[in-house]
Amino acid sequence: MSDVFDPATRSAVMRRVKGRDTGPERTMRRLLTRLGARYRLQRADLPGKPDIVMPGRRLAIFVHGCFWHGHACARGARVPKQNAAYWTAKIERNRLRDSVNLAALEAGGWRVETVWECEMRDAAALEARVKVWL
């Protein structure tokens, strides 16, 4: 079976990609809840609208998909076969926007942590990392 879709099918696939309440976000929220952390979701008044915010700790957490934000892992380094120029430019814009939002949050006195989709595979390491933040 080919990995290449016709444009109509590709468009339908991309429309189904969610911007919030993704699997990795839900996994992160379950971990935080289990550790007793209280948090807020999608604070639109903060730069970048962080996925998870702990106002009392001044902590903003972004849960990034490796492909969408150009992570340096196997999934994030993959370049699509179709419309490669568009996707390369889009991912670069996402990375630039992420760095601008990170700088704005840090300038506002927030601690910022980024959790990558690929880090969800090692639950023990992720939990240890989150405990350090808390």
Side-chain angles (χ1 to χ4, degrees):
M1 181 172 184
S2 174
D3 288 334
V4 180
F5 296 115
D6 64 89
T9 304
R10 169 67 61 208
S11 183
V13 167
M14 297 312 287
R15 269 195 309 272
R16 288 195 318 256
V17 175
K18 298 189 314 181
R20 61 181 294 169
D21 296 329
T22 63
E25 283 181 32
R26 291 191 325 265
T27 299
M28 187 68 194
R29 294 188 324 230
R30 279 192 299 270
L31 172 61
L32 289 167
T33 300
R34 194 175 78 239
L35 294 174
R38 308 301 265 167
Y39 54 86
R40 297 286 175 258
L41 301 177
Q42 308 285 332
R43 284 267 309 262
D45 61 325
L46 294 175
K49 197 173 172 184
D51 299 309
I52 301 169
V53 178
M54 295 181 197
R57 300 172 195 265
R58 301 285 292 176
L59 175 62
I61 301 171
F62 289 95
V63 182
H64 283 336
C66 294
F67 171 76
W68 299 104
H69 296 269
H71 190 226
C73 67
R75 184 178 186 124
R78 180 176 70 195
V79 178
K81 293 179 179 122
Q82 287 190 329
N83 212 359
Y86 167 80
W87 287 109
T88 302
K90 168 137 181 79
I91 291 166
E92 192 54 41
R93 286 191 313 269
N94 289 350
R95 292 177 69 148
L96 178 62
R97 185 189 66 229
D98 292 342
S99 65
V100 167
N101 291 332
L102 174 81
L105 283 165
E106 287 177 342
W110 289 86
R111 291 183 301 138
V112 181
E113 296 292 340
T114 301
V115 177
W116 293 95
E117 177 183 18
C118 63
E119 293 175 326
M120 298 288 170
R121 293 184 196 127
D122 187 352
L126 181 60
E127 183 171 340
R129 185 174 162 206
V130 171
K131 284 180 180 178
V132 170
W133 304 342
L134 302 178

